[in-house]
Amino acid sequence: MRILLIGAGGKLGTAVHQSLTARGHEVVTAGRSSGDLRFDVTDPAQITALYDAAGAGGQLDAVASAAGSVPFKPVADMTPEDWTAAFRGKVQSQLELVRQGIGRIAPRGSFTLITGVLARSPIVTGSAASMANGAVEAFVRAAAVEIAPQRVNAVSPTVVTEALDVYAGHFPGFAPVDLAEVAQAYVRCIEGVETGRILELGH
């Protein structure tokens, strides 16, 4: 398959990239500051330009997102701008990848989005992430009904093992999940037949 991977330069994106190329797929990487194509997917106009650039090399069979940023602050310290940044950074960007991609990918192509454990298990300072993840997951279920036979799913891991040195203190008692396992969930979404699914990894 020919796959557009957004956020390929991060830890998760690197693992997904390696898993997909090892399986013989052609992966076109994209990111704000790294990748084959450099675009900011928080800007809908740049998503349009990204699809124009990616499509020039041939039809895309799948789009996978491994990127999304949100602010982490106590609720009392959040500002309206923080909520907007969370929405643009993780929700709007991924929803627009699907909306604009419907007419850009193969008739039976797929979209794989990224959410996370905070949609179902909150932590202190994680309200924006919980909001964003929950919104993406609700969208996946709704969009799957409308875009068939194209497919859309989300991968929702807990904290990843390779980032415990930074985030362990924020996720006490959470079972970590290896990046390799998260990457395999992307493979399952891209190569499989499921749609409207939230693949929850870890607890």
Side-chain angles (χ1 to χ4, degrees):
M1 297 183 189
R2 188 164 187 270
I3 302 165
L4 174 61
L5 175 60
I6 293 92
K11 285 185 177 181
L12 173 57
T14 298
V16 173
H17 188 195
Q18 291 172 347
S19 293
L20 293 174
T21 54
R23 297 179 66 82
H25 298 299
E26 177 190 354
V27 181
V28 181
T29 59
R32 184 179 302 175
S33 58
S34 65
D36 301 320
L37 305 172
R38 307 287 176 89
F39 293 94
D40 180 0
V41 295
T42 65
D43 179 351
Q46 289 204 38
I47 291 178
T48 303
L50 169 60
Y51 273 123
D52 287 342
Q59 187 174 50
L60 294 167
D61 297 297
V63 176
S65 173
S69 61
V70 297
F72 282 82
K73 294 182 179 180
V75 172
D77 294 340
M78 291 288 289
T79 66
E81 292 74 22
D82 289 328
W83 298 121
T84 300
F87 180 79
R88 290 186 63 201
K90 195 161 190 180
V91 184
Q92 177 182 282
S93 56
Q94 297 196 93
L95 271 56
E96 276 293 298
L97 283 170
V98 175
R99 186 188 72 83
Q100 294 195 36
I102 291 170
R104 305 277 199 150
I105 72 170
R108 292 186 174 275
S110 71
F111 302 91
T112 304
L113 310 183
I114 182 68
T115 64
V117 69
L118 298 188
R120 55 193 185 273
S121 299
I123 62 169
V124 175
T125 74
S127 61
S130 293
M131 177 274 292
N133 291 341
V136 173
E137 293 185 7
F139 169 79
V140 164
R141 296 185 183 98
V145 176
E146 297 189 30
I147 70 171
Q150 291 176 335
R151 300 180 300 105
V152 57
N153 296 288
V155 176
S156 181
T158 183
V159 61
V160 297
T161 305
E162 290 81 354
L164 283 177
D165 57 332
V166 177
Y167 295 110
H170 299 284
F171 293 87
F174 284 67
V177 58
D178 293 346
L179 278 174
E181 183 178 348
V182 183
Q184 285 306 302
Y186 276 80
V187 172
R188 173 177 165 182
C189 290
I190 292 168
E191 296 186 8
V193 297
E194 296 167 293
T195 190
R197 292 287 308 278
I198 312 302
L199 273 61
E200 297 179 359
L201 307 174
H203 302 285

